[in-house]
Amino acid sequence: MSSNDFETQKKLSHRSVWHVARWLCEVQGQDILMFPPPKDDPDRGDIYANDLRVEVKAITRDFFRPEEWPFPEIFICRADTYDAADPKPVAFFTCNPALTFAAMVKTQESREWWSKKTVTDTRPGRGYDYEVYTCPTRFIHWRNITL
């Protein structure tokens, strides 16, 4: 991933968090709390919806309905990040680039089915391995997140 690709992904990630927060508030009627991105502090979470922690990711591959999901499973998050999280997230949203559709996984109903997978960060200057939690696609709740 070039530095330009990294910046594009970072912008998409921030846009996704704000979009899902707005969707949860305006469409779902939930009270929202957000924290600034951490510097040296532990990650406090992307969004708190009705006092429950929600994490949001963006991917660069398009999908607009369940049949178009481009992967055999869904990545939940880095294993070390989840393991250290307090409180644990209740849901994980993965948004398409257009911010019209999201794959949402609820922790409570899926956690026992998660598995760990080792992946490599291929961005320039990185190249290290780390573990992520993955979940079978049958636990995905598909959400139209159009505002």
Side-chain angles (χ1 to χ4, degrees):
M1 178 184 290
S2 72
S3 62
N4 202 17
D5 292 338
F6 177 76
E7 287 303 315
T8 299
Q9 181 62 33
K10 186 176 174 183
K11 286 178 186 174
L12 180 58
S13 177
H14 289 295
R15 284 182 43 235
S16 297
V17 170
W18 282 100
H19 186 89
V20 170
R22 192 170 162 207
W23 180 79
L24 287 169
C25 181
E26 294 178 8
V27 177
Q28 300 296 306
Q30 298 187 30
D31 292 326
I32 300 299
L33 175 65
M34 297 173 70
F35 294 103
K39 293 189 193 262
D40 294 331
D41 295 331
D43 182 0
R44 293 186 283 176
D46 291 331
I47 302 167
Y48 283 78
N50 292 342
D51 296 323
L52 300 173
R53 185 174 177 169
V54 175
E55 293 294 324
V56 181
K57 281 186 213 36
I59 61 173
T60 56
R61 305 256 311 257
D62 270 330
F63 64 97
F64 296 97
R65 56 183 180 266
E67 305 81 51
E68 296 175 342
W69 181 249
F71 308 106
E73 68 227 341
I74 185 167
F75 280 23
I76 299 298
C77 66
R78 284 182 62 125
D80 58 349
T81 301
Y82 179 83
D83 293 343
D86 183 29
K88 300 290 190 217
V90 298
F92 295 85
F93 282 78
T94 301
C95 301
N96 70 352
L99 300 177
T100 56
F101 208 61
M104 191 264 293
V105 175
K106 296 178 182 178
T107 306
Q108 186 175 11
E109 69 184 34
S110 66
R111 179 63 185 97
E112 71 181 277
W113 299 100
W114 294 4
S115 59
K116 285 185 180 179
K117 181 177 186 174
T118 301
V119 298
T120 302
D121 188 335
T122 58
R123 292 177 286 188
R126 302 224 176 166
Y128 58 85
D129 292 342
Y130 60 95
E131 289 185 313
V132 297
Y133 282 117
T134 66
C135 180
T137 58
R138 71 179 180 269
F139 292 103
I140 295 175
H141 295 268
W142 302 100
R143 298 289 185 255
N144 178 336
I145 57 170
T146 304
L147 294 174

